[in-house]
């Protein structure tokens, strides 16, 4: 079966086509430092062809939620180095997902500082998970163009820090309503400067960050995650097909490792959007390797690879609950069920205690 076959991704040889997608688990300490639990969690999952870390804050300003890790202090880098070393010693490959939350944060977990965003437009369709419980989102502060240039540099520095921490690559988190997605979205970005207005201008931030990452660590070590039709985080487009077709056309001019395409979740329907399958629609336009994501199981993942558009499939919740997912697929073994109550925050429970197959 293709899913379990060895495959090349840039300069890397992956042991199979199964990727663990990024999953925030909110178990870092208050300084954004990862520890022994993280070493264990990622090492347990090295049978994935590629591991993508939980989203990692690129700077203090990027932080939106409590107990999420960072990659901008010496201590944070040193701590991640222990994770990457353990993963490599056990034959795994691991990429760091780079995160700026933009307006998707709250001042209670930002030392009293308001979140920043392309425009002063708050998220209203949902509430935020904070250390003080669920809170309404605040009106974010609009970024100046100098601050935008600084954030782009922060992404570059975080990517260099990821290399210093021993990661095999970096993934720009441009999905799920975080800062890059906010720049792209028509309802979150009402700027009138070079970063707002037209589709070209709204795409500029993502493209400049991608160029910065490529310059920082080399094209073969850079990927990006996009979620074109997924409205999570109050993200809406007048014409998502036009926006993402333009963005993909420009991304195609850059030479980098992969695009992880996350399909919409049925839990967040947008009636006005096209019915198209995102992998068919956008995957076909991409020159880079496509990693298909969202809602896949063994049979739908196999069928997706057979279509020939995506080369790899990423799994979130299934890897969360099944550290030995490739082996379980190989043996057609039953799967552990993910426990929603322990997904975010806490300790070992629901993190490193999902059982491995006994046979
Ligand atoms: C607990 C949890 C945390 C997540 N955190 C992130 C994240 O930090 N970055 C990201 O890009 N996606 C995140 N996601 C989304 C997953 O990477 C994935 O796209 C989504 O779960 C759909 O894939 P699946 O159906 O295989 O689970 C998260 C999902 C879950 C369940």
């Amino acid at each position: 079966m293709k899913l379990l076959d060895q495959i090349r991704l840039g300069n890397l040889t992956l042991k199979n086509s199964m990727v663990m997608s990024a999953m925030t688990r909110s178990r870092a300490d208050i300084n954004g430092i990862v520890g022994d639990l993280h070493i264990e969690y990622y090492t347990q999952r090295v049978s994935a062809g590629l591991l993508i870390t939980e989203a990692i804050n690129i700077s203090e300003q990027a932080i939106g939620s409590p107990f999420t890790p960072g990659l901008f202090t010496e201590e944070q880098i040193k701590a991640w180095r222990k994770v990457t070393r353990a993963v490599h010693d056990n034959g795994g490959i691991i990429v760091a997902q780079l995160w700026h939350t933009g307006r998707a944060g709250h001042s209670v977990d930002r030392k009293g500082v308001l979140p920043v965003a392309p425009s002063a437009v708050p998220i209203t369709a949902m509430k935020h998970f904070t250390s003080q419980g669920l809170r309404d989102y605040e009106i974010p502060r609009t970024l100046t163009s100098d601050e935008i240039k600084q954030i782009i540099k922060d992404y570059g520095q975080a990517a260099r820090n990821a290399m210093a921490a021993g990661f095999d690559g970096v993934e720009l988190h441009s999905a799920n309503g975080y800062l890059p997605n906010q720049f792209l979205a028509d309802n979150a970005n009402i700027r009138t400067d070079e970063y707002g207005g037209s589709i070209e201008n709204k795409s500029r931030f993502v493209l400049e960050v991608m160029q910065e990452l490529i310059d920082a660590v080399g094209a073969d070590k850079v990927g990006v995650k996009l979620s074109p039709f997924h409205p999570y985080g109050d993200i809406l487009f007048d014409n998502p097909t036009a926006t993402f077709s333009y963005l993909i056309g420009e991304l195609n001019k850059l030479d980098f490792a992969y695009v992880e395409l996350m399909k919409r979740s049925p839990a967040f329907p947008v009636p006005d959007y096209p019915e198209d399958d995102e992998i068919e629609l956008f995957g076909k336009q991409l020159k880079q390797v496509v990693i298909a994501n969202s809602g896949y199981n063994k049979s739908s993942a196999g069928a997706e690879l057979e279509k020939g558009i995506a080369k790899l499939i990423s799994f979130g919740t299934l890897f969360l609950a099944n550290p030995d997912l490739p082996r379980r697929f190989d043996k057609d073994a039953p799967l552990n069920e993910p426990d929603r109550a322990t997904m975010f925050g806490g300790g070992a429970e629901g993190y490193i205690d999902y059982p491995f197959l006994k046979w």
Side-chain angles (χ1 to χ4, degrees):
M1 188 183 56
K2 266 189 176 167
L3 197 56
L4 296 173
D5 290 351
Q6 185 173 294
I7 185 170
R8 296 279 301 172
L9 175 65
N11 297 329
L12 300 168
T13 302
L14 313 188
K15 52 172 91 76
N16 54 51
S17 295
M18 296 177 61
V19 177
M20 178 165 95
S21 67
M23 279 177 289
T24 292
R25 305 302 310 277
S26 308
R27 283 163 166 88
D29 75 7
I30 52 158
N31 296 311
I33 296 170
V34 294
D36 291 344
L37 283 180
H38 298 79
I39 297 175
E40 179 70 18
Y41 170 74
Y42 286 107
T43 305
Q44 284 179 344
R45 288 160 177 77
V46 290
S47 63
L50 178 69
L51 295 168
I52 302 171
T53 66
E54 61 210 280
I56 309 179
N57 297 301
I58 59 162
S59 64
E60 178 95 30
Q61 185 199 58
I63 298 171
S65 293
F67 308 116
T68 53
L71 202 38
F72 56 90
T73 70
E74 259 320 304
E75 292 72 25
Q76 292 167 350
I77 297 168
K78 238 164 67 189
W80 277 116
R81 204 173 286 138
K82 291 187 193 161
V83 175
T84 61
R85 192 172 301 137
V87 165
H88 290 150
D89 287 350
N90 286 280
I93 298 177
I94 184 162
V95 158
Q97 191 185 54
L98 302 184
W99 199 24
H100 192 307
T101 59
R103 66 179 184 165
H106 198 285
S107 59
V108 296
D109 293 314
R110 296 172 42 81
K111 300 182 177 158
V113 178
L114 272 182
V116 292
S119 304
V121 180
I123 296 172
T124 56
M126 54 196 275
K127 289 180 190 283
H128 192 57
F129 165 80
T130 77
S131 56
Q132 317 292 315
L134 283 180
R135 289 278 182 100
D136 284 332
Y137 281 97
E138 299 155 302
I139 298 174
R141 182 175 65 74
T142 303
L143 288 162
T144 65
S145 53
D146 281 350
E147 285 176 315
I148 294 172
K149 305 277 181 220
Q150 182 57 48
I151 292 173
I152 294 168
K153 289 199 187 117
D154 292 344
Y155 273 106
Q157 187 56 51
R160 283 187 287 276
N161 294 349
M163 294 300 109
F167 283 105
D168 298 292
V170 294
E171 175 180 283
L172 172 64
H173 191 356
S174 185
N176 295 351
Y178 296 107
L179 186 68
N181 208 182
Q182 292 160 27
F183 271 96
L184 291 169
D186 297 305
N187 66 339
N189 180 353
I190 53 169
R191 299 180 74 89
T192 52
D193 64 0
E194 57 178 340
Y195 290 99
S198 61
I199 288 177
E200 288 80 353
N201 282 353
K202 287 176 182 154
S203 301
R204 190 178 310 281
F205 180 76
V206 172
L207 294 167
E208 288 186 356
V209 173
M210 286 301 286
Q211 186 62 60
E212 182 78 18
L213 296 179
I214 291 167
D215 292 345
V217 300
D220 59 320
K221 294 191 173 62
V222 176
V224 60
K225 182 172 181 178
L226 304 174
S227 54
F229 291 160
H230 189 41
Y232 184 82
D234 235 353
I235 290 293
L236 287 173
F237 295 90
D238 300 337
N239 184 344
T241 307
T243 296
F244 283 89
S245 297
Y246 171 79
L247 180 67
I248 287 169
E250 294 302 300
L251 287 173
N252 281 342
K253 295 179 189 165
L254 306 175
D255 181 25
F256 61 94
Y258 72 82
V259 177
E260 185 182 13
L261 266 185
M262 180 187 178
K263 302 206 279 188
R264 77 191 102 200
S265 157
F268 296 86
V270 186
D272 299 344
Y273 276 12
E275 298 281 303
D276 305 62
D277 173 273
E278 292 94 321
I279 310 303
E280 287 270 345
L281 180 61
F282 299 113
K284 274 189 179 160
Q285 298 176 34
L286 279 160
K287 265 187 14 197
Q288 293 80 9
V289 168
V290 173
I291 304 179
N293 173 250
S294 207
Y296 288 98
N297 58 26
K298 179 182 168 181
S299 91
S300 60
E304 187 65 73
L305 290 183
E306 285 304 326
K307 282 196 211 159
I309 304 168
K311 256 182 134 175
L312 300 144
I313 307 290
S314 68
F315 303 88
T317 29
L318 290 189
F319 257 121
L320 182 151
N322 296 277
D324 51 357
L325 189 62
R327 182 146 189 274
R328 286 176 189 257
F329 277 3
D330 189 31
K331 304 225 166 290
D332 275 324
L335 300 177
N336 301 322
E337 285 297 317
D339 171 25
R340 305 231 155 241
T342 50
M343 277 186 176
F344 300 100
E349 193 198 342
Y351 192 48
I352 55 165
D353 58 357
Y354 282 104
F356 281 74
L357 208 55
K358 299 268 186 310
W359 41 282

